[in-house]
Amino acid sequence: MNAFSKVIAVSVAMLSSAATLALDLKQGEALVNERCSACHKPGVMGAPKMGNKADWEPRAAQGYKTLLEHGMKGLNGMPPKGGAVDVSDEVFESAVTFLLQSAGVLEQAKSGKAAPAAAKKADPKPAAPAKQETAVTAKAMQSAEGKQKVKPALKFNRLMKSAEEWNPPPYEDGIHDPEGEGAYALQPPKELFESLPKAPSGNRVDWVKALEGGAITPRYDRTDPSKQPFVMDLNIVREVKGFMPDVVYPHKQHTEWLDCSNCHPDIFIPKKGANQISMAAILMGEKCGVCHGKVAFPVSECRKCHSKNKTQPVGIKQ
Ligand code: HEC
Ligand code: HEC
Ligand code: HEC
Ligand code: HEC
Protein backbone atom coordinates (compact mmCIF):
# COMPACT_ATOMS: atom_id res chain seq x y z
CA MET A 1 0.00 0.00 0.00
CA ASN A 2 2.71 2.40 1.13
CA ALA A 3 5.05 1.53 -1.66
CA PHE A 4 2.19 1.87 -4.08
CA SER A 5 1.29 5.39 -3.03
CA LYS A 6 4.98 6.35 -3.20
CA VAL A 7 5.13 5.15 -6.77
CA ILE A 8 2.07 7.25 -7.54
CA ALA A 9 3.54 10.29 -5.79
CA VAL A 10 6.72 10.01 -7.82
CA SER A 11 4.92 9.52 -11.09
CA VAL A 12 2.68 12.49 -10.34
CA ALA A 13 5.77 14.62 -9.82
CA MET A 14 7.27 13.36 -13.08
CA LEU A 15 4.02 13.92 -14.89
CA SER A 16 3.65 17.47 -13.71
CA SER A 17 7.11 18.35 -14.89
CA ALA A 18 6.24 16.91 -18.25
CA ALA A 19 2.92 18.70 -18.36
CA THR A 20 4.15 21.08 -20.98
CA LEU A 21 4.62 18.22 -23.44
CA ALA A 22 1.97 18.03 -26.07
CA LEU A 23 -0.63 15.49 -25.03
CA ASP A 24 -2.57 13.40 -27.46
CA LEU A 25 -6.09 14.59 -26.71
CA LYS A 26 -7.63 12.03 -29.07
CA GLN A 27 -6.37 9.24 -26.81
CA GLY A 28 -7.69 11.12 -23.80
CA GLU A 29 -11.08 11.51 -25.39
CA ALA A 30 -11.23 7.81 -26.22
CA LEU A 31 -10.37 6.88 -22.63
CA VAL A 32 -12.98 9.27 -21.25
CA ASN A 33 -15.68 7.80 -23.44
CA GLU A 34 -14.67 4.24 -22.75
CA ARG A 35 -14.02 4.31 -19.03
CA CYS A 36 -14.46 7.63 -17.25
CA SER A 37 -17.93 8.23 -18.66
CA ALA A 38 -19.39 5.39 -16.58
CA CYS A 39 -19.21 7.76 -13.59
CA HIS A 40 -18.60 11.16 -15.09
CA LYS A 41 -21.55 11.08 -17.48
CA PRO A 42 -24.33 10.43 -14.92
CA GLY A 43 -22.37 12.04 -12.06
CA VAL A 44 -22.13 8.91 -9.93
CA MET A 45 -21.39 9.66 -6.24
CA GLY A 46 -20.98 13.34 -6.99
CA ALA A 47 -18.47 12.91 -9.83
CA PRO A 48 -18.26 16.18 -11.79
CA LYS A 49 -20.33 15.66 -14.95
CA MET A 50 -18.70 15.65 -18.38
CA GLY A 51 -18.99 19.00 -20.12
CA ASN A 52 -20.69 20.61 -17.12
CA LYS A 53 -18.87 23.83 -16.37
CA ALA A 54 -20.62 24.46 -13.04
CA ASP A 55 -19.48 21.05 -11.78
CA TRP A 56 -15.86 21.58 -12.85
CA GLU A 57 -15.29 25.23 -11.99
CA PRO A 58 -14.75 24.87 -8.24
CA ARG A 59 -12.46 21.91 -8.95
CA ALA A 60 -10.47 23.80 -11.57
CA ALA A 61 -9.84 26.45 -8.92
CA GLN A 62 -7.60 23.91 -7.15
CA GLY A 63 -5.20 24.12 -10.05
CA TYR A 64 -4.19 21.63 -12.67
CA LYS A 65 -1.54 19.89 -10.60
CA THR A 66 -3.88 19.16 -7.71
CA LEU A 67 -6.60 17.90 -10.03
CA LEU A 68 -4.18 15.57 -11.74
CA GLU A 69 -2.80 14.35 -8.43
CA HIS A 70 -6.31 13.63 -7.13
CA GLY A 71 -7.04 11.79 -10.33
CA MET A 72 -3.88 9.68 -10.05
CA LYS A 73 -4.22 8.86 -6.37
CA GLY A 74 -7.99 8.75 -6.20
CA LEU A 75 -10.30 10.90 -4.13
CA ASN A 76 -13.31 9.54 -2.20
CA GLY A 77 -15.46 7.84 -4.84
CA MET A 78 -12.88 8.48 -7.55
CA PRO A 79 -10.64 5.38 -7.72
CA PRO A 80 -6.91 5.84 -8.46
CA LYS A 81 -6.60 6.72 -12.16
CA GLY A 82 -10.36 6.38 -12.39
CA GLY A 83 -9.84 2.61 -12.29
CA ALA A 84 -7.89 2.73 -15.55
CA VAL A 85 -4.65 1.57 -13.89
CA ASP A 86 -3.66 -0.26 -17.05
CA VAL A 87 -3.24 2.90 -19.15
CA SER A 88 -0.09 5.00 -19.25
CA ASP A 89 0.21 8.14 -17.13
CA GLU A 90 0.33 10.24 -20.29
CA VAL A 91 -2.94 8.85 -21.60
CA PHE A 92 -4.55 9.34 -18.19
CA GLU A 93 -3.34 12.91 -18.08
CA SER A 94 -4.72 13.58 -21.53
CA ALA A 95 -8.09 12.21 -20.32
CA VAL A 96 -8.02 14.70 -17.44
CA THR A 97 -7.09 17.46 -19.88
CA PHE A 98 -9.91 16.42 -22.16
CA LEU A 99 -12.42 16.48 -19.27
CA LEU A 100 -11.27 19.96 -18.27
CA GLN A 101 -11.28 21.21 -21.83
CA SER A 102 -14.73 19.90 -22.66
CA ALA A 103 -16.06 21.62 -19.54
CA GLY A 104 -14.36 24.83 -20.65
CA VAL A 105 -12.16 25.11 -17.57
CA LEU A 106 -8.76 23.99 -18.89
CA GLU A 107 -7.30 27.50 -19.02
CA GLN A 108 -8.64 28.30 -15.57
CA ALA A 109 -7.10 25.13 -14.12
CA LYS A 110 -3.74 25.74 -15.79
CA SER A 111 -3.55 29.31 -14.52
CA GLY A 112 -4.68 28.17 -11.07
CA LYS A 113 -2.63 28.71 -7.93
CA ALA A 114 -0.64 25.47 -8.16
CA ALA A 115 1.06 25.99 -11.50
CA PRO A 116 2.79 22.90 -12.91
CA ALA A 117 6.19 24.63 -12.82
CA ALA A 118 6.00 25.05 -9.04
CA ALA A 119 5.86 21.28 -8.62
CA LYS A 120 9.10 20.51 -10.41
CA LYS A 121 10.91 19.37 -7.28
CA ALA A 122 9.64 15.93 -6.30
CA ASP A 123 7.91 16.58 -2.98
CA PRO A 124 7.37 13.30 -1.09
CA LYS A 125 4.70 14.92 1.11
CA PRO A 126 1.28 15.19 -0.46
CA ALA A 127 0.20 18.72 -1.25
CA ALA A 128 -1.83 20.41 1.47
CA PRO A 129 -5.45 19.59 0.82
CA ALA A 130 -7.30 22.38 -0.87
CA LYS A 131 -10.45 23.76 0.77
CA GLN A 132 -12.65 22.10 -1.81
CA GLU A 133 -11.36 18.65 -0.95
CA THR A 134 -11.86 19.12 2.78
CA ALA A 135 -15.39 20.26 2.21
CA VAL A 136 -16.19 17.30 -0.02
CA THR A 137 -14.63 14.82 2.40
CA ALA A 138 -16.50 16.26 5.36
CA LYS A 139 -19.73 16.07 3.40
CA ALA A 140 -19.07 12.49 2.39
CA MET A 141 -18.36 11.54 6.01
CA GLN A 142 -21.49 13.26 7.19
CA SER A 143 -23.67 11.41 4.77
CA ALA A 144 -21.94 8.13 5.65
CA GLU A 145 -22.76 8.76 9.31
CA GLY A 146 -26.30 9.69 8.42
CA LYS A 147 -26.70 6.40 6.60
CA GLN A 148 -25.53 4.39 9.58
CA LYS A 149 -28.18 5.98 11.79
CA VAL A 150 -30.98 4.64 9.60
CA LYS A 151 -32.10 1.40 11.17
CA PRO A 152 -33.64 -1.16 8.84
CA ALA A 153 -37.24 -1.92 9.79
CA LEU A 154 -36.79 -5.67 9.69
CA LYS A 155 -33.34 -7.09 9.13
CA PHE A 156 -34.44 -10.66 8.42
CA ASN A 157 -36.28 -9.63 5.32
CA ARG A 158 -33.99 -8.13 2.71
CA LEU A 159 -36.76 -6.24 0.95
CA MET A 160 -38.33 -4.76 4.08
CA LYS A 161 -35.98 -1.86 4.58
CA SER A 162 -36.33 1.77 5.45
CA ALA A 163 -36.84 4.18 2.55
CA GLU A 164 -33.21 5.38 2.45
CA GLU A 165 -32.04 1.85 1.83
CA TRP A 166 -34.27 0.88 -1.09
CA ASN A 167 -32.60 0.03 -4.33
CA PRO A 168 -29.03 1.15 -3.59
CA PRO A 169 -26.77 1.53 -6.63
CA PRO A 170 -24.79 -1.60 -7.57
CA TYR A 171 -21.58 -0.35 -5.89
CA GLU A 172 -23.40 -0.02 -2.54
CA ASP A 173 -25.77 -2.96 -2.61
CA GLY A 174 -23.44 -5.47 -0.95
CA ILE A 175 -23.94 -7.86 -3.86
CA HIS A 176 -21.63 -6.39 -6.50
CA ASP A 177 -17.92 -5.89 -5.89
CA PRO A 178 -17.44 -2.13 -5.44
CA GLU A 179 -13.80 -2.52 -6.52
CA GLY A 180 -14.84 -3.76 -9.95
CA GLU A 181 -15.52 -1.21 -12.65
CA GLY A 182 -18.58 -3.15 -13.79
CA ALA A 183 -20.40 -2.09 -10.63
CA TYR A 184 -20.22 1.50 -11.87
CA ALA A 185 -21.12 0.71 -15.44
CA LEU A 186 -24.41 -0.91 -14.39
CA GLN A 187 -27.41 1.38 -14.41
CA PRO A 188 -28.51 2.20 -10.85
CA PRO A 189 -31.91 0.58 -10.18
CA LYS A 190 -33.53 3.80 -8.92
CA GLU A 191 -32.93 5.46 -12.27
CA LEU A 192 -34.58 2.66 -14.22
CA PHE A 193 -37.40 1.86 -11.76
CA GLU A 194 -38.74 5.42 -12.12
CA SER A 195 -40.48 4.43 -15.35
CA LEU A 196 -42.08 1.21 -14.06
CA PRO A 197 -45.44 0.67 -12.30
CA LYS A 198 -45.09 1.42 -8.57
CA ALA A 199 -45.67 -0.91 -5.65
CA PRO A 200 -45.86 0.09 -1.97
CA SER A 201 -43.20 -2.35 -0.78
CA GLY A 202 -40.33 -4.57 -1.80
CA ASN A 203 -38.20 -2.79 -4.36
CA ARG A 204 -41.17 -0.51 -5.08
CA VAL A 205 -41.93 -1.96 -8.47
CA ASP A 206 -45.08 -3.92 -9.33
CA TRP A 207 -43.38 -6.52 -11.47
CA VAL A 208 -46.59 -8.32 -12.39
CA LYS A 209 -48.03 -5.09 -13.81
CA ALA A 210 -44.70 -4.22 -15.45
CA LEU A 211 -44.76 -7.54 -17.30
CA GLU A 212 -48.46 -7.44 -18.18
CA GLY A 213 -48.29 -3.87 -19.44
CA GLY A 214 -45.24 -4.62 -21.57
CA ALA A 215 -42.99 -2.19 -19.67
CA ILE A 216 -40.48 -5.04 -19.49
CA THR A 217 -40.01 -8.01 -21.79
CA PRO A 218 -37.54 -10.28 -20.02
CA ARG A 219 -36.01 -13.18 -21.87
CA TYR A 220 -37.41 -16.45 -20.66
CA ASP A 221 -34.21 -18.29 -21.51
CA ARG A 222 -30.77 -16.77 -21.06
CA THR A 223 -29.31 -18.45 -24.12
CA ASP A 224 -32.33 -18.79 -26.40
CA PRO A 225 -34.12 -15.49 -27.18
CA SER A 226 -36.97 -17.23 -29.00
CA LYS A 227 -38.00 -19.42 -26.07
CA GLN A 228 -41.42 -18.63 -24.57
CA PRO A 229 -42.73 -19.56 -21.12
CA PHE A 230 -45.36 -22.25 -20.72
CA VAL A 231 -48.03 -20.24 -18.92
CA MET A 232 -50.53 -22.26 -16.90
CA ASP A 233 -53.69 -20.48 -15.79
CA LEU A 234 -54.71 -22.46 -12.70
CA ASN A 235 -55.64 -20.90 -9.39
CA ILE A 236 -55.31 -22.89 -6.21
CA VAL A 237 -57.41 -21.66 -3.33
CA ARG A 238 -56.09 -22.43 0.12
CA GLU A 239 -58.71 -21.93 2.76
CA VAL A 240 -57.39 -20.19 5.81
CA LYS A 241 -58.81 -20.93 9.24
CA GLY A 242 -59.75 -17.88 11.27
CA PHE A 243 -60.26 -14.28 10.26
CA MET A 244 -57.86 -13.91 7.33
CA PRO A 245 -59.24 -14.04 3.79
CA ASP A 246 -58.36 -17.23 1.90
CA VAL A 247 -55.18 -17.47 -0.12
CA VAL A 248 -55.36 -17.69 -3.88
CA TYR A 249 -52.21 -19.06 -5.36
CA PRO A 250 -52.15 -18.12 -9.08
CA HIS A 251 -50.17 -20.34 -11.41
CA LYS A 252 -50.52 -17.78 -14.21
CA GLN A 253 -48.46 -14.95 -12.72
CA HIS A 254 -45.82 -17.41 -11.58
CA THR A 255 -45.39 -19.39 -14.77
CA GLU A 256 -44.92 -16.16 -16.74
CA TRP A 257 -41.54 -15.92 -15.00
CA LEU A 258 -40.80 -19.34 -13.67
CA ASP A 259 -40.40 -22.91 -14.84
CA CYS A 260 -42.52 -25.64 -13.22
CA SER A 261 -39.29 -27.11 -11.85
CA ASN A 262 -38.64 -23.95 -9.84
CA CYS A 263 -41.38 -25.14 -7.47
CA HIS A 264 -42.22 -28.76 -8.32
CA PRO A 265 -41.43 -31.03 -6.64
CA ASP A 266 -38.79 -29.50 -4.33
CA ILE A 267 -40.89 -26.70 -2.78
CA PHE A 268 -44.41 -27.96 -3.44
CA ILE A 269 -45.82 -31.39 -4.28
CA PRO A 270 -48.02 -30.68 -7.35
CA LYS A 271 -51.28 -31.74 -5.73
CA LYS A 272 -53.86 -29.42 -4.23
CA GLY A 273 -53.79 -29.57 -0.43
CA ALA A 274 -50.81 -31.94 -0.33
CA ASN A 275 -48.52 -29.29 1.17
CA GLN A 276 -48.54 -27.97 4.71
CA ILE A 277 -48.14 -24.21 4.38
CA SER A 278 -48.20 -21.77 7.29
CA MET A 279 -47.28 -18.14 7.82
CA ALA A 280 -44.59 -19.25 10.23
CA ALA A 281 -42.93 -21.32 7.50
CA ILE A 282 -43.24 -18.47 4.99
CA LEU A 283 -41.65 -15.99 7.41
CA MET A 284 -38.80 -18.46 7.95
CA GLY A 285 -38.13 -18.39 4.22
CA GLU A 286 -39.79 -21.71 3.40
CA LYS A 287 -42.68 -22.51 0.98
CA CYS A 288 -43.88 -19.22 -0.58
CA GLY A 289 -41.16 -17.53 1.51
CA VAL A 290 -38.44 -19.11 -0.63
CA CYS A 291 -39.15 -16.23 -3.02
CA HIS A 292 -41.55 -13.78 -1.38
CA GLY A 293 -39.57 -11.29 0.67
CA LYS A 294 -36.43 -12.14 -1.29
CA VAL A 295 -37.00 -11.91 -5.03
CA ALA A 296 -40.77 -11.35 -5.12
CA PHE A 297 -43.10 -8.98 -3.22
CA PRO A 298 -42.67 -9.28 0.54
CA VAL A 299 -44.85 -10.82 3.21
CA SER A 300 -46.12 -7.41 4.33
CA GLU A 301 -48.49 -7.39 1.33
CA CYS A 302 -51.08 -9.62 3.05
CA ARG A 303 -53.87 -8.86 0.59
CA LYS A 304 -51.96 -9.93 -2.48
CA CYS A 305 -52.02 -13.53 -1.27
CA HIS A 306 -55.03 -13.40 1.06
CA SER A 307 -57.18 -12.11 -1.75
CA LYS A 308 -60.38 -14.17 -1.49
CA ASN A 309 -62.87 -12.87 1.03
CA LYS A 310 -64.72 -15.51 2.96
CA THR A 311 -68.34 -15.90 2.08
CA GLN A 312 -69.38 -16.21 5.70
CA PRO A 313 -69.34 -13.15 7.92
CA VAL A 314 -66.39 -13.29 10.28
CA GLY A 315 -67.10 -14.89 13.67
CA ILE A 316 -70.44 -16.47 12.81
CA LYS A 317 -70.54 -20.25 12.77
CA GLN A 318 -73.39 -22.14 11.27
C1 HEC B 1 -15.96 4.87 -10.32
C2 HEC B 1 -16.40 6.16 -10.71
C3 HEC B 1 -15.39 7.03 -11.42
C4 HEC B 1 -14.67 6.72 -12.54
C5 HEC B 1 -14.70 5.43 -13.37
C6 HEC B 1 -13.87 7.88 -12.82
N1 HEC B 1 -14.11 8.85 -11.89
FE1 HEC B 1 -13.21 10.68 -11.77
N2 HEC B 1 -14.31 11.11 -10.12
C7 HEC B 1 -15.23 10.29 -9.54
C8 HEC B 1 -15.80 10.95 -8.38
C9 HEC B 1 -16.88 10.38 -7.47
C10 HEC B 1 -15.17 12.20 -8.29
C11 HEC B 1 -15.40 13.25 -7.22
C12 HEC B 1 -14.54 12.91 -6.02
C13 HEC B 1 -14.79 13.85 -4.88
O1 HEC B 1 -14.49 15.05 -5.03
O2 HEC B 1 -15.25 13.39 -3.84
C14 HEC B 1 -14.24 12.27 -9.39
C15 HEC B 1 -13.40 13.34 -9.63
C16 HEC B 1 -12.51 13.41 -10.67
C17 HEC B 1 -11.61 14.52 -10.92
C18 HEC B 1 -11.53 15.79 -10.09
C19 HEC B 1 -10.65 15.61 -8.90
C20 HEC B 1 -10.65 16.82 -8.04
O3 HEC B 1 -9.61 17.10 -7.44
O4 HEC B 1 -11.69 17.51 -7.92
C21 HEC B 1 -10.90 14.22 -12.05
C22 HEC B 1 -9.84 15.08 -12.68
C23 HEC B 1 -11.34 12.93 -12.49
N3 HEC B 1 -12.31 12.46 -11.65
C24 HEC B 1 -10.84 12.30 -13.62
C25 HEC B 1 -11.24 11.05 -14.05
C26 HEC B 1 -10.73 10.40 -15.23
C27 HEC B 1 -9.73 11.00 -16.18
C28 HEC B 1 -11.34 9.18 -15.29
C29 HEC B 1 -11.15 8.10 -16.33
C30 HEC B 1 -9.80 7.66 -16.59
C31 HEC B 1 -12.23 9.08 -14.16
N4 HEC B 1 -12.15 10.22 -13.44
C32 HEC B 1 -13.01 7.97 -13.88
C33 HEC B 1 -15.59 9.03 -9.95
C34 HEC B 1 -15.05 8.36 -11.03
C1 HEC C 1 -44.13 -20.59 -7.81
C2 HEC C 1 -44.34 -22.00 -7.57
C3 HEC C 1 -45.04 -22.85 -8.59
C4 HEC C 1 -44.73 -22.96 -9.94
C5 HEC C 1 -43.65 -22.26 -10.73
C6 HEC C 1 -45.64 -23.95 -10.45
N1 HEC C 1 -46.46 -24.39 -9.47
FE1 HEC C 1 -47.86 -25.87 -9.62
N2 HEC C 1 -48.41 -25.58 -7.71
C7 HEC C 1 -47.85 -24.67 -6.83
C8 HEC C 1 -48.58 -24.67 -5.58
C9 HEC C 1 -48.29 -23.80 -4.36
C10 HEC C 1 -49.61 -25.64 -5.71
C11 HEC C 1 -50.64 -26.02 -4.66
C12 HEC C 1 -50.09 -27.09 -3.76
C13 HEC C 1 -51.01 -27.35 -2.59
O1 HEC C 1 -52.16 -26.90 -2.60
O2 HEC C 1 -50.54 -27.99 -1.66
C14 HEC C 1 -49.46 -26.19 -7.06
C15 HEC C 1 -50.27 -27.18 -7.58
C16 HEC C 1 -50.09 -27.76 -8.81
C17 HEC C 1 -50.86 -28.86 -9.30
C18 HEC C 1 -51.97 -29.59 -8.58
C19 HEC C 1 -53.31 -29.07 -9.00
C20 HEC C 1 -54.43 -29.80 -8.29
O3 HEC C 1 -55.60 -29.41 -8.52
O4 HEC C 1 -54.18 -30.75 -7.52
C21 HEC C 1 -50.41 -29.12 -10.57
C22 HEC C 1 -50.89 -30.19 -11.53
C23 HEC C 1 -49.36 -28.18 -10.86
N3 HEC C 1 -49.19 -27.37 -9.76
C24 HEC C 1 -48.66 -28.10 -12.04
C25 HEC C 1 -47.74 -27.14 -12.36
C26 HEC C 1 -47.13 -26.98 -13.69
C27 HEC C 1 -47.39 -27.88 -14.89
C28 HEC C 1 -46.30 -25.92 -13.61
C29 HEC C 1 -45.44 -25.30 -14.73
C30 HEC C 1 -46.20 -24.89 -15.91
C31 HEC C 1 -46.38 -25.41 -12.25
N4 HEC C 1 -47.28 -26.17 -11.54
C32 HEC C 1 -45.64 -24.35 -11.78
C33 HEC C 1 -46.76 -23.88 -7.09
C34 HEC C 1 -46.13 -23.74 -8.32
C1 HEC D 1 -46.82 -14.77 -0.29
C2 HEC D 1 -48.21 -14.99 0.08
C3 HEC D 1 -48.68 -14.59 1.46
C4 HEC D 1 -48.57 -13.35 2.05
C5 HEC D 1 -47.95 -12.11 1.48
C6 HEC D 1 -49.21 -13.46 3.34
N1 HEC D 1 -49.69 -14.72 3.53
FE1 HEC D 1 -50.67 -15.39 5.20
N2 HEC D 1 -50.73 -17.26 4.36
C7 HEC D 1 -50.25 -17.62 3.11
C8 HEC D 1 -50.44 -19.03 2.91
C9 HEC D 1 -50.08 -19.82 1.66
C10 HEC D 1 -51.03 -19.52 4.09
C11 HEC D 1 -51.44 -20.96 4.40
C12 HEC D 1 -52.84 -21.19 4.02
C13 HEC D 1 -53.19 -22.64 4.33
O1 HEC D 1 -53.48 -22.93 5.50
O2 HEC D 1 -53.13 -23.45 3.42
C14 HEC D 1 -51.23 -18.37 4.99
C15 HEC D 1 -51.82 -18.46 6.24
C16 HEC D 1 -52.07 -17.37 7.06
C17 HEC D 1 -52.78 -17.44 8.33
C18 HEC D 1 -53.35 -18.70 8.94
C19 HEC D 1 -52.48 -19.21 10.08
C20 HEC D 1 -51.07 -19.58 9.65
O3 HEC D 1 -50.12 -19.02 10.22
O4 HEC D 1 -50.91 -20.39 8.74
C21 HEC D 1 -52.81 -16.18 8.83
C22 HEC D 1 -53.42 -15.73 10.13
C23 HEC D 1 -52.13 -15.31 7.87
N3 HEC D 1 -51.69 -16.08 6.82
C24 HEC D 1 -51.95 -13.98 8.02
C25 HEC D 1 -51.22 -13.16 7.16
C26 HEC D 1 -50.97 -11.76 7.38
C27 HEC D 1 -51.48 -10.95 8.56
C28 HEC D 1 -50.21 -11.33 6.33
C29 HEC D 1 -49.63 -9.94 6.09
C30 HEC D 1 -48.76 -9.45 7.13
C31 HEC D 1 -50.02 -12.48 5.45
N4 HEC D 1 -50.62 -13.56 5.98
C32 HEC D 1 -49.32 -12.40 4.25
C33 HEC D 1 -49.67 -16.76 2.18
C34 HEC D 1 -49.38 -15.44 2.40
C1 HEC E 1 -40.07 -19.76 -6.88
C2 HEC E 1 -40.42 -18.42 -6.39
C3 HEC E 1 -41.86 -18.21 -5.86
C4 HEC E 1 -42.56 -18.99 -4.97
C5 HEC E 1 -42.11 -20.27 -4.27
C6 HEC E 1 -43.83 -18.33 -4.80
N1 HEC E 1 -43.88 -17.19 -5.54
FE1 HEC E 1 -45.48 -15.90 -5.72
N2 HEC E 1 -44.45 -14.83 -7.09
C7 HEC E 1 -43.14 -15.04 -7.48
C8 HEC E 1 -42.77 -14.06 -8.47
C9 HEC E 1 -41.38 -13.94 -9.12
C10 HEC E 1 -43.89 -13.26 -8.68
C11 HEC E 1 -43.99 -12.05 -9.64
C12 HEC E 1 -43.16 -10.89 -9.10
C13 HEC E 1 -43.78 -10.18 -7.95
O1 HEC E 1 -45.03 -10.01 -7.90
O2 HEC E 1 -43.02 -9.77 -7.05
C14 HEC E 1 -44.94 -13.77 -7.82
C15 HEC E 1 -46.23 -13.26 -7.77
C16 HEC E 1 -47.22 -13.72 -6.94
C17 HEC E 1 -48.57 -13.25 -6.93
C18 HEC E 1 -49.17 -12.27 -7.92
C19 HEC E 1 -49.34 -10.91 -7.34
C20 HEC E 1 -49.99 -9.99 -8.35
O3 HEC E 1 -49.62 -8.81 -8.32
O4 HEC E 1 -50.82 -10.43 -9.14
C21 HEC E 1 -49.23 -13.90 -5.90
C22 HEC E 1 -50.65 -13.73 -5.48
C23 HEC E 1 -48.27 -14.81 -5.30
N3 HEC E 1 -47.06 -14.67 -5.94
C24 HEC E 1 -48.55 -15.66 -4.25
C25 HEC E 1 -47.72 -16.73 -3.87
C26 HEC E 1 -48.11 -17.74 -2.91
C27 HEC E 1 -49.41 -17.77 -2.13
C28 HEC E 1 -47.08 -18.61 -2.84
C29 HEC E 1 -46.97 -19.87 -2.01
C30 HEC E 1 -48.06 -20.80 -2.12
C31 HEC E 1 -46.05 -18.18 -3.77
N4 HEC E 1 -46.49 -17.03 -4.38
C32 HEC E 1 -44.86 -18.81 -3.99
C33 HEC E 1 -42.30 -16.04 -7.04
C34 HEC E 1 -42.68 -17.08 -6.20
Side-chain angles (χ1 to χ4, degrees):
M1 210 34 200
N2 243 337
F4 179 66
S5 41
K6 258 184 214 149
V7 170
I8 298 245
V10 169
S11 52
V12 165
M14 278 163 38
L15 257 181
S16 317
S17 59
T20 41
L21 285 180
L23 290 161
D24 184 351
L25 272 189
K26 277 268 170 297
Q27 278 184 312
E29 180 176 1
L31 180 61
V32 167
N33 288 331
E34 248 170 64
R35 316 274 283 268
C36 322
S37 61
C39 297
H40 283 276
K41 208 170 183 183
V44 167
M45 293 179 295
K49 292 200 194 78
M50 284 159 63
N52 185 320
K53 194 167 184 187
D55 277 9
W56 283 98
E57 249 173 353
R59 294 178 184 274
Q62 305 173 98
Y64 185 83
K65 192 215 154 204
T66 307
L67 279 167
L68 186 58
E69 195 172 291
H70 287 164
M72 293 289 288
K73 287 185 182 169
L75 173 68
N76 301 318
M78 163 80 189
K81 274 182 139 184
V85 284
D86 50 320
V87 308
S88 73
D89 290 350
E90 285 73 23
V91 172
F92 177 77
E93 183 174 3
S94 75
V96 172
T97 305
F98 177 78
L99 281 171
L100 295 173
Q101 195 189 54
S102 55
V105 297
L106 183 60
E107 290 313 307
Q108 188 193 336
K110 291 238 168 175
S111 63
K113 47 189 168 164
K120 271 219 166 143
K121 32 186 167 52
D123 187 354
K125 275 179 285 166
K131 265 205 184 111
Q132 161 74 9
E133 187 200 357
T134 330
V136 170
T137 316
K139 213 172 123 203
M141 275 165 60
Q142 239 175 24
S143 70
E145 269 170 28
K147 255 183 208 151
Q148 274 172 6
K149 280 198 200 106
V150 180
K151 282 261 148 37
L154 282 164
K155 260 289 182 220
F156 75 88
N157 195 319
R158 192 165 68 77
L159 295 183
M160 288 165 87
K161 288 181 175 166
S162 56
E164 291 77 1
E165 290 184 304
W166 301 336
N167 306 328
Y171 45 83
E172 283 177 4
D173 66 6
I175 299 167
H176 301 90
D177 178 7
E179 312 262 294
E181 278 170 50
Y184 299 92
L186 287 170
Q187 185 179 26
K190 270 199 181 109
E191 213 175 278
L192 173 73
F193 289 0
E194 260 324 289
S195 62
L196 298 175
K198 301 272 176 300
S201 59
N203 56 14
R204 268 65 201 178
V205 174
D206 189 325
W207 293 103
V208 170
K209 275 205 193 117
L211 187 71
E212 279 171 358
I216 54 167
T217 48
R219 261 195 196 185
Y220 190 65
D221 190 297
R222 188 171 57 86
T223 52
D224 179 1
S226 66
K227 200 160 176 193
Q228 294 298 316
F230 173 71
V231 179
M232 186 171 81
D233 194 355
L234 170 70
N235 286 349
I236 307 262
V237 179
R238 304 266 318 195
E239 282 175 26
V240 178
K241 287 192 216 91
F243 63 95
M244 282 300 281
D246 291 339
V247 171
V248 179
Y249 166 79
H251 266 97
K252 182 167 177 285
Q253 282 87 332
H254 288 92
T255 49
E256 272 165 351
W257 306 89
L258 301 162
D259 190 73
C260 315
S261 65
N262 286 134
C263 289
H264 299 309
D266 283 357
I267 307 177
F268 302 110
I269 302 159
K271 188 169 183 299
K272 186 176 170 1
N275 303 269
Q276 280 262 347
I277 313 176
S278 70
M279 270 330 279
I282 294 172
L283 284 163
M284 296 296 288
E286 294 160 20
K287 311 292 174 184
C288 319
V290 170
C291 304
H292 287 280
K294 300 194 192 103
V295 295
F297 70 79
V299 181
S300 56
E301 297 303 295
C302 315
R303 289 295 277 179
K304 276 204 176 177
C305 293
H306 292 271
S307 60
K308 189 168 181 281
N309 284 330
K310 293 187 164 73
T311 44
Q312 289 171 350
V314 176
I316 296 181
K317 272 200 168 169
Q318 279 151 358

